[in-house]
Amino acid sequence: MRYATWLLVAGMCALGAGHAQAETMRQQADTAQQLLQKTCWVDVFEDTKFDADDPHIRIPGPAQLSSLKDLQGRNWNNEIESVIVGPGATVHAYSDKDFKGTELAFTPGQRVPDLAKLDMSDEIESMKVACDGQH
């Protein structure tokens, strides 16, 4: 995203746009990036139906977690039973570490109250959280 911002600003300068316009565009890109960070996350829960009384965490994106063994001080390998995906995130979960095994994709804003219905309850060992507009 930063590279794309730099190219856009450089292109505007090369086309004769004034410094003020280039600065405004850079600020708009920074604002968009900050908004994306607020919406790019996944909440994982140890229990079904997003039970906030049991262990749960928010994983901010973008992130590539080859193992969930020591995630925020806890072993989340094979412990996730429900997920909520932020509106600016796409999540790929894998049944084995290092992004191997069965893959399950979650779309922005998706809520899955029981991963057992997708044959992935207590089966996730690695995860990728991508932010919309970033690869």
Side-chain angles (χ1 to χ4, degrees):
M1 179 75 170
R2 291 190 187 278
Y3 180 71
T5 301
W6 180 85
L7 281 176
L8 182 61
V9 171
M12 291 299 293
C13 289
L15 292 173
H19 175 72
Q21 284 180 315
E23 181 62 21
T24 299
M25 293 186 76
R26 186 192 61 76
Q27 289 173 349
Q28 289 173 343
D30 287 347
T31 300
Q33 181 68 20
Q34 290 171 357
L35 178 61
L36 182 61
Q37 289 172 345
K38 290 180 182 180
T39 63
C40 184
W41 47 264
V42 61
D43 288 342
V44 298
F45 297 82
E46 183 184 65
D47 205 354
T48 60
K49 300 180 184 171
F50 325 113
D51 187 352
D53 291 332
D54 283 336
H56 63 283
I57 59 169
R58 175 164 287 183
I59 302 169
Q64 292 198 16
L65 306 167
S66 60
S67 172
L68 304 179
K69 188 173 183 177
D70 185 23
L71 188 58
Q72 297 183 15
R74 187 169 189 277
N75 183 359
W76 282 92
N77 277 343
N78 303 314
E79 294 292 328
I80 301 169
E81 291 191 19
S82 58
V83 299
I84 300 173
V85 180
T90 300
V91 177
H92 292 264
Y94 302 85
S95 62
D96 297 325
K97 67 180 185 172
D98 298 321
F99 317 113
K100 296 179 181 172
T102 302
E103 178 182 359
L104 189 58
F106 302 103
T107 58
Q110 187 172 2
R111 299 170 62 91
V112 181
D114 188 355
L115 287 169
K117 294 180 179 181
L118 301 174
D119 294 327
M120 283 290 272
S121 181
D122 293 329
E123 295 290 327
I124 299 172
E125 290 191 12
S126 58
M127 184 180 293
K128 294 179 182 180
V129 182
C131 299
D132 289 352
Q134 294 183 342
H135 300 284

